[in-house]
Amino acid sequence: MKSSRRTFLKQAAGLTAISIAGLDAAAVAGSATPAVAQGTGWYDRPMRWAQLSFVEDDPGHYDLGFWLDYFQRIHADAALLDAGGCVAFYPTQVPLHYRSKWLGNRDTFGEIAAACRKLGMNVIARTDAHACHQDVYDAHPDWLMVDERGSKVRHPSDKDFWLTCALGPYNFEFMNAVHKEVMTRYRPDAIFTNRWAGSGMCYCEHCRENFRQFSGLDLPRTRDPHDTARRQYMAWHQQRLFELCRVWNATIEAINPAACYLPNAGGGALSDLDMKTLGSLAPAAIADRQSRRGLMAPWMAGKAAKEFRSTMGMKPIAGLTSVGIDDQNRWKDSVQNVEETRLWMLDGIAHNFRPTFTKFNAKPYDRRWFPVVEEVFRWHHANEKYLRNERSLARVGLVYSQQTAAYYGWPDAAARVEDPGLGFYQALIEARIPFEMVHDGLLDEEHLHPFRTLILPNIAALSDRQCEQIGAFVRNGGGVIATLETSLYDEGGKRRDDFGLAELFGASFAGQVEGPMRNSYLNLKKDPTTGAFHPLLAGLEDAGRIINGTHRVHVTAGDQSMHSPLEVVPPYPDLPMEEVFPRTTDTHEPGVFLRDVGSGRVVYFPVDIDRTFWEVLAGDHAKLLRNAVVWATNESAPLEVEGKGVIDVSIWQQKDSITVHLVNLTNPMMMKGPVREVIPIARQVVRIRPTKDGRKVARARRLVAGGEIPFSEQADAVIVELPGIDVHEVIALDLES
Ligand SMILES: [Zn+2]
């Protein structure tokens, strides 16, 4: 605990050394330690978190006894409770700290915090930093957010409020005073702050002045990352936010040395916050991806868990699930279909989230969510020893890159950077391959040690050092799969003359990226020396040709005599129908590069096969992507599951057991929730090849259906047959001691 606190301070202070590399992996690496294993703070203990956020009229109007009873019944062991910031729910003395009009002489926060403590729960005080009332405006107009035109910004939803500046005295002084008072009065275990990182770019006098001091420049008026001021801003913005974490954390620790500031963030390639720095600083975190909206697969819950784990290691991560509808129209007082809530929570649990429900308004209008959260939490409690995971046994890592999103992806990072990753994610789900997410800032040997294969889905922006790390990984026997423009840019988004990984790919950039292409194909070619199809084409032997991606990089093969099992058929007219025939059939332009490099294997697709898969979901591409992973990995998988349906799998080691989670996503509402009902799937044969350190499997259990289940052992595998799965099953193998 002591050391992790010191680490927080020292490392956050070290961030001031960053000059222009806000998201630059190499610069941040200098100040970061590897993601640590579980620490020893209080935050390791609670496994189920309950967030109850008050609304202003809750004081005096809500049923405290009901909530305490519920928390107890569901075995929640940490409570996230509203203290203040935007609205104070305790008798604050901080000037301008707005008290709820319904508070009267009460201490609503203090009362529930004390009661939760009495139940043995950890208490985390929640504050909100993004909005203030008119009196704050009048007293400190400089605390408010200012837009590009120089106007202070009214809250878009509630016109009684103004938006605050996240990077100036409102947070550094006022919110710090609020945190100090909350800590002094109540000594909670932590504080976390909602909407603490601002509501967009701020042009207030403090931001202008502080940025000028940092860079000598005026605040940028463009989001173009190639603009000098914008680049400086990106670095300064990160530095300022982590400095804020440091200031708040110091205030909190000075009062309660066991307490800390818990940052919350969305995570992932598109996150504004550098997740690597966050992962190295915070002892625990709150993952703020609360539910599905729009077109989104339910595995996004597990993806968030993996993204946080990629930089936080096995530190505790509370995965928020909104029981409310989190749609952009924000019907905050309604609740989701319970099946949707269940699926979202279970997929997070399968990937090591500590389940956390979040409910706004302590006077629930719609109570249908209570039983489903109770069911999931009680199950989680009953099986806790099998859910205290020590490490993932996945051997495949899917890389994501914030620097690629920031410097290459602009202005459309979702399509250029996120979509290729989503395509590969979906392919791995369909292939039932357990995998982890890997942050591109952590490609060193220690972080890559657990993995056999790395996937680089159009990870365009990579530094020389990162390319060297990937090369070393392959030379040590690892497999790499890369697509499209991977490594064609440096870490700052500047295009190279050739791929940073050209040697690994066996391909060089020929100067052109083509697309979007219509009506282009890939011919499937037998190896002329063996007369057989390459394993990459398994399951496609009768196809002849399949659809291509929609973007391709023109490349030259390093070895002109190389055989590629896929050959590009360039685009040709798709109308008039009479003209739809290929003008050339044998181009000998490789559609894939497959290489043995030392004891490692490399697959390079010069096309956006992964992004196209996300767009089109062609089964042929699913097979290609799966086969590429299997061929590059070149070892028996730790987990294989045979049967029908779409399931999200994970494999974990605990102290004395191995668990396999199988989350049934098979549902007509899989790609766009909410699901209406669970569609059970039939028999699944599960082959587990765990690293048991020589320990024998004593028994196998089903943690959802319950009871022991027969297993057989065959060579190096333990085989379990499940008669079926409703929404979730966990196979637990108890190891002999
Ligand atoms: Zn500002």
Side-chain angles (χ1 to χ4, degrees):
M1 185 60 218
K2 203 80 193 160
S3 68
S4 73
R5 283 205 317 278
R6 276 199 222 103
T7 304
F8 195 123
L9 292 173
K10 200 175 68 200
Q11 291 178 349
L15 280 172
T16 52
I18 297 177
S19 53
I20 60 161
L23 293 176
D24 182 286
V28 180
S31 67
T33 49
V36 297
Q38 274 165 286
T40 51
W42 65 263
Y43 29 79
D44 286 327
R45 188 195 68 97
M47 290 290 278
R48 291 158 297 280
W49 301 39
Q51 179 183 342
L52 181 60
S53 289
F54 292 131
V55 293
E56 196 181 341
D57 74 342
D58 276 335
H61 293 132
Y62 86 105
D63 184 348
L64 172 62
F66 167 82
W67 286 101
L68 296 176
D69 177 60
Y70 186 69
F71 291 167
Q72 218 170 352
R73 209 163 63 233
I74 68 175
H75 302 282
D77 39 19
L80 284 70
L81 304 165
D82 244 7
C86 185
V87 174
F89 294 97
Y90 69 95
T92 176
Q93 301 298 322
V94 174
L96 296 169
H97 192 198
Y98 174 88
R99 289 191 199 190
S100 156
K101 287 198 282 287
W102 284 265
L103 190 65
N105 296 322
R106 294 182 191 85
D107 181 354
T108 304
F109 169 73
E111 188 182 31
I112 190 171
C116 287
R117 277 255 167 74
K118 218 175 256 178
L119 296 179
M121 300 174 82
N122 290 102
V123 170
I124 296 105
R126 174 187 181 274
T127 59
D128 187 301
H130 86 291
C132 66
H133 281 90
Q134 184 67 40
D135 56 343
V136 176
Y137 182 117
D138 295 337
H140 295 282
D142 60 306
W143 286 5
L144 275 77
M145 176 182 173
V146 171
D147 68 15
E148 207 177 332
R149 295 184 308 275
S151 309
K152 300 193 178 11
V153 186
R154 273 199 191 276
H155 198 287
S157 174
D158 188 332
K159 300 300 177 199
D160 286 344
F161 285 87
W162 294 91
L163 295 179
T164 57
C165 166
L167 307 176
Y170 184 80
N171 268 350
F172 279 86
E173 293 168 22
F174 172 76
M175 285 303 297
N176 197 44
V178 169
H179 291 168
K180 187 172 181 182
E181 184 180 65
V182 169
M183 288 306 301
T184 309
R185 287 185 65 117
Y186 307 103
R187 288 178 69 85
D189 296 304
I191 288 180
F192 96 97
T193 305
N194 188 49
R195 295 187 178 249
W196 63 283
S199 306
M201 208 167 147
C202 175
Y203 291 84
C204 78
E205 58 190 272
H206 299 289
C207 287
R208 280 186 283 138
E209 177 53 30
N210 289 335
F211 180 66
R212 194 172 295 115
Q213 270 188 23
F214 174 85
S215 67
L217 299 169
D218 287 335
L219 285 167
R221 304 265 158 181
T222 170
R223 295 185 70 83
D224 182 348
H226 303 291
D227 176 82
T228 308
R230 176 66 191 172
R231 281 182 94 87
Q232 292 279 338
Y233 176 82
M234 290 160 86
W236 174 74
H237 180 242
Q238 291 296 304
Q239 190 194 83
R240 199 76 186 138
L241 286 176
F242 285 115
E243 174 70 7
L244 179 62
C245 288
R246 187 192 69 77
V247 166
W248 285 349
N249 199 61
T251 298
I252 291 165
E253 272 186 10
I255 298 162
N256 179 359
C260 58
Y261 176 66
L262 284 185
N264 63 331
L270 305 184
S271 175
D272 277 343
L273 208 59
D274 176 33
M275 295 304 289
K276 183 183 160 188
T277 308
L278 180 88
S280 68
L281 297 184
I286 295 170
D288 206 348
R289 200 176 292 165
Q290 303 184 10
S291 67
R292 294 204 269 177
R293 66 177 79 170
L295 285 169
M296 190 187 282
W299 46 249
M300 285 296 281
K303 179 167 178 278
K306 293 179 190 188
E307 284 164 347
F308 272 82
R309 183 160 60 254
S310 71
T311 62
M312 298 202 66
M314 293 304 285
K315 294 175 187 176
I317 301 156
L320 289 176
T321 294
S322 170
V323 300
I325 293 175
D326 204 27
D327 184 271
Q328 58 174 344
N329 300 297
R330 296 180 66 81
W331 293 283
K332 299 303 286 183
D333 268 339
S334 195
V335 304
Q336 307 207 52
N337 288 4
V338 296
E339 300 299 351
E340 179 69 24
T341 303
R342 180 188 286 115
L343 187 58
W344 190 256
M345 285 193 142
L346 290 174
D347 197 63
I349 290 168
H351 297 289
N352 205 43
F353 264 160
R354 302 206 174 179
T356 306
F357 78 79
T358 170
K359 175 74 185 86
F360 290 80
N361 195 337
K363 309 173 299 303
Y365 297 106
D366 183 340
R367 296 177 166 259
R368 287 175 293 174
W369 64 273
F370 286 111
V372 72
V373 170
E374 179 172 345
E375 170 204 312
V376 172
F377 272 44
R378 286 175 71 95
W379 173 83
H380 194 271
H381 175 254
N383 294 286
E384 186 173 315
K385 83 163 175 167
Y386 292 111
L387 298 164
R388 284 204 170 265
N389 298 315
E390 294 190 341
R391 66 185 182 108
S392 161
L393 300 179
R395 297 280 284 157
V396 173
L398 180 59
V399 177
Y400 71 103
S401 171
Q402 290 183 269
Q403 74 191 17
T404 298
Y407 297 125
Y408 158 88
W410 186 85
D412 196 8
R416 301 181 76 196
V417 178
E418 183 76 341
D419 284 358
L422 293 172
F424 238 119
Y425 205 110
Q426 172 68 20
L428 291 165
I429 292 273
E430 290 188 33
R432 301 165 160 206
I433 293 172
F435 66 101
E436 292 288 309
M437 298 295 286
V438 173
H439 191 280
D440 72 338
L442 298 169
L443 298 175
D444 53 283
E445 200 179 337
E446 186 187 342
H447 283 89
L448 295 190
H449 178 71
F451 300 112
R452 174 76 170 186
T453 301
L454 273 190
I455 300 169
L456 303 163
N458 198 28
I459 305 295
L462 289 170
S463 68
D464 290 346
R465 181 165 173 267
Q466 288 169 306
C467 292
E468 281 164 25
Q469 289 172 325
I470 293 164
F473 176 75
V474 174
R475 286 192 299 278
N476 289 335
V480 158
I481 300 148
T483 62
L484 203 67
E485 292 187 276
T486 295
S487 80
L488 191 54
Y489 293 75
D490 71 12
E491 69 275 26
K494 188 167 171 281
R495 190 149 109 179
R496 294 188 168 101
D497 294 335
D498 198 356
F499 302 106
L501 296 173
E503 211 179 303
L504 222 52
F505 294 167
S508 281
F509 181 50
Q512 192 195 343
V513 182
E514 183 182 357
M517 309 180 291
R518 296 160 71 98
N519 206 35
S520 169
Y521 298 85
L522 294 166
N523 280 334
L524 277 52
K525 295 286 190 184
K526 284 181 178 166
D527 186 330
T529 53
T530 64
F533 283 113
H534 191 277
L536 183 77
L537 307 182
L540 296 167
E541 294 85 352
D542 55 350
R545 67 179 208 178
I546 61 173
I547 61 170
N548 198 356
T550 67
H551 294 76
R552 70 165 174 145
V553 181
H554 288 245
V555 291
T556 353
D559 170 8
Q560 291 295 327
S561 67
M562 177 201 83
H563 160 71
S564 176
L566 295 172
E567 278 183 12
V568 176
V569 180
Y572 49 89
D574 60 297
L575 271 176
M577 292 312 290
E578 291 77 0
E579 293 304 315
V580 184
F581 63 93
R583 303 314 194 257
T584 46
T585 48
D586 278 321
T587 62
H588 303 296
E589 281 186 53
V592 68
F593 292 75
L594 297 162
R595 300 184 71 227
D596 289 284
V597 179
S599 53
R601 287 178 166 179
V602 178
V603 182
Y604 169 60
F605 291 101
V607 293
D608 60 345
I609 204 91
D610 39 11
R611 196 213 60 79
T612 305
F613 179 56
W614 187 239
E615 181 187 338
V616 181
L617 289 176
D620 292 345
H621 289 175
K623 283 178 189 162
L624 264 192
L625 294 172
R626 175 194 166 277
N627 292 343
V629 175
V630 170
W631 183 78
T633 304
N634 194 24
E635 66 172 18
S636 302
L639 175 68
E640 288 168 295
V641 188
E642 261 176 61
K644 287 191 188 297
V646 184
I647 54 176
D648 190 358
V649 302
S650 61
I651 178 163
W652 293 98
Q653 183 179 305
Q654 301 83 35
K655 189 163 170 284
D656 296 309
S657 51
I658 305 281
T659 52
V660 167
H661 287 249
L662 309 154
V663 184
N664 174 15
L665 309 181
T666 314
N667 201 291
M669 303 299 171
M670 178 184 155
M671 301 309 266
K672 185 185 188 315
V675 298
R676 305 285 194 270
E677 60 179 343
V678 172
I679 316 289
I681 51 173
R683 179 172 173 272
Q684 306 287 321
V685 179
V686 183
R687 254 181 215 88
I688 307 167
R689 288 188 198 86
T691 315
K692 295 176 291 187
D693 306 321
R695 294 165 77 182
K696 281 186 112 49
V697 174
R699 67 190 72 79
R701 303 172 185 277
R702 282 185 296 177
L703 300 186
V704 177
E708 286 189 31
I709 185 164
F711 68 95
S712 60
E713 290 185 86
Q714 208 178 73
D716 56 348
V718 173
I719 300 161
V720 176
E721 286 189 34
L722 296 175
I725 303 174
D726 283 342
V727 62
H728 181 214
E729 187 55 273
V730 182
I731 298 167
L733 305 180
D734 289 322
L735 302 178
E736 280 180 358
S737 46

